[in-house]
Amino acid sequence: MNIFQNAKFFTTINHLKDLPDTPAEIAFVGRSNAGKSSAINTLTNHVRLAYVSKTPGRTQHINFFELANGNFMVDLPGYGYAQVPEAIRAHWVKLLGDYLQTRRQLIGLVLIMDTRHPLKALDIQMLDFFHITGRPVHILLSKADKLSKNDQIKTLSEVKKSLKPYMERQHISIQLFSSLKKQGIEEVNKVVGEWFTRHHEEIAGMQPND
């Protein structure tokens, strides 16, 4: 089952005070031009649900999409920004940071990295930054079709090895993904689906008995 199928745009916000009241949500984040919007469009089987810009860093707001199961998917601004005024860049940084560390409904983060250029300094900073929440991270090594099968396997192995210290302190999972070849869709669905299931089971377990 594709939990992202039939996702619908819900709202876009530029200030935390405007965040909607949702039951649970997962967020997509990544460096500018890492393939985040393409991944969202592929997972939802929608050509332009998330805007794919030829100019990296143009996603300036937090965009919410409602999933068919009543949960939400969130598209966050890319980091490693385009050439924009410093005041705007500073606003993006604060908006993104405050959301990631304070949003109660956020149950997990899908981190997009270009498989040809993984684990850049900003990616490591994001893992360090999100670690304090104690929530899981699923890494998509996007644009896997740009590498040969052997290089895909080698890159996946190297990234897992590099992240071993992080995986010992935080739940992190990693996979290859290609929007062009529609590679890895089932794996993303399985991971995120388990996040939502576990979350709602925990919430149900906290409810008082009649």
Side-chain angles (χ1 to χ4, degrees), residues 165-176:
Y166 290 84
M167 297 168 82
E168 290 172 352
R169 71 180 193 186
Q170 181 180 12
H171 184 74
I172 297 176
S173 48
I174 310 165
Q175 71 163 96
L176 295 162

Side-chain angles (χ1 to χ4, degrees), residues 89 97 111 166:
R89 191 194 70 82
L111 175 57
Y166 290 84

Side-chain angles (χ1 to χ4, degrees), residues 121-185:
L122 289 174
D123 298 323
I124 296 299
Q125 287 178 25
M126 177 59 68
L127 289 172
D128 286 334
F129 187 79
F130 194 66
H131 168 247
I132 68 166
T133 69
R135 294 163 186 158
V137 177
H138 187 56
I139 297 173
L140 300 191
L141 296 176
S142 66
K143 307 182 184 181
D145 53 277
K146 302 294 186 181
L147 299 180
S148 67
K149 289 293 184 182
N150 285 340
D151 284 340
Q152 288 181 30
I153 294 170
K154 180 181 177 182
T155 299
L156 181 61
S157 176
E158 289 175 346
V159 171
K160 285 182 176 179
K161 183 177 179 180
S162 297
L163 289 178
K164 191 172 181 181
Y166 290 84
M167 297 168 82
E168 290 172 352
R169 71 180 193 186
Q170 181 180 12
H171 184 74
I172 297 176
S173 48
I174 310 165
Q175 71 163 96
L176 295 162
F177 189 86
S178 169
S179 295
L180 183 64
K181 301 292 186 181
K182 300 192 184 312
Q183 171 188 353
I185 295 175

Side-chain angles (χ1 to χ4, degrees), residues 20-67:
D21 185 17
T22 67
E25 60 204 40
I26 57 102
F28 284 75
V29 72
R31 290 199 325 273
S32 296
N33 210 30
K36 175 170 58 70
S37 295
S38 294
I40 291 174
N41 288 336
T42 297
L43 288 168
T44 58
N45 194 27
H46 198 292
V47 178
R48 286 177 63 87
L49 189 69
Y51 180 62
V52 180
S53 174
K54 294 185 182 301
T55 305
R58 288 298 178 86
T59 304
Q60 302 177 19
H61 299 75
I62 296 180
N63 296 308
F64 284 76
F65 302 90
E66 186 172 9
L67 304 176

